[in-house]
Amino acid sequence: MKTSLSILLPIYNGDCVAFVEELSSEAQLLATEVGLCYEIIVADDGSTDKLMQQRNEAINALPHCRYVLRGQNTGRAAIRNFLAQTAQYDWLLFLDSDMLTISDSFLPAYLERPESELVVDGGVCTYADSRQRFPGNLRCLYECAATQHFDARQRQQDPYHDFHTANFLISRSVMLRHPFDERFRRYGYEDVLMGKQLKKAGIAITHIDNPVVFKSFESNEHFIDKTEEGLRTLHQFRQELRGYSRLLTFVEGIHLKPVRMLIRLWHRLVGPLERRSLCGSHPSLRLFKLYKLGYYLTLTKNDKQL
């Protein structure tokens, strides 16, 4: 069993005190029972919400916990690299700060993995009643649909493509040798490229069923904004991400120029109505997929290969 662990959470304009308290309680129990040495570091990536920063200051009062304020926003990749460099132990557990655990043995499930497993992805899930608790929420619908298809057995069939940063354990030495690409400053795909880099380096990713759960979901409008930002990231790094994005593969498979032009025209004419519907109280996942396709194709208008 691993005897030391750095638990690392990046945060931006959020309150994660309850989550850290939960993790701290479990880690303290393990420290007493099996002598676990641990630390929990929360790094604030230049939040603009001062109230949230004040709330998170409570983390400093918890044993072996630190809340680190960063002066400016450096992006999703850089903040995780900073956490890895700051950590003092050989094993790093990265968690998204807007999650919760659902297992009483969440940490032991990682600590008991063989030392030979250098990267372990625990996965994410939603509550069984999430659709009832968050009616009409597009992110909820999206994540509930994804949860049905992403247990460990299914993720292990394509381990590098299905690697995500929300919940994973990694050897610190591996992380320092293969950090996140800090060109990824905006939302999306920094984890996808890291999966590709780990495959190239011959480092296996092991997927297990030890998920964290979404405690809440952003508004539909905010989720659409994030999706559009992610699509712009995908377009910016399309060369590096080739073969690691289903949408990119699909778009590159549309060889007929008139078809691409028709989809772009459709999005220009109907896209605003689609967006309004997706931001409403009855969003559709099918419409969401169509909107993403149209939005991305508008970004490719001047691409030479398309």
Side-chain angles (χ1 to χ4, degrees), residues 81-132:
N81 290 342
F82 165 79
L83 281 163
Q85 293 158 4
T86 303
Q88 63 175 312
Y89 295 123
D90 292 336
W91 290 95
L92 314 178
L93 176 58
F94 281 91
L95 298 168
D96 279 0
S97 57
D98 56 351
M99 298 290 190
L100 292 173
T101 62
I102 56 176
S103 169
D104 293 333
S105 58
F106 177 74
L107 295 180
Y110 279 123
L111 296 173
E112 293 169 358
R113 303 303 301 183
E115 295 279 335
S116 58
E117 295 180 354
L118 300 178
V119 184
V120 183
D121 188 322
V124 299
C125 70
T126 55
Y127 288 114
D129 63 346
S130 288
R131 294 182 189 226
Q132 288 72 43

Side-chain angles (χ1 to χ4, degrees), residues 48-59:
T48 57
D49 191 325
K50 300 305 179 183
L51 177 60
M52 291 297 179
Q53 289 182 339
Q54 291 174 7
R55 289 178 180 175
N56 288 325
E57 289 286 352
I59 292 169

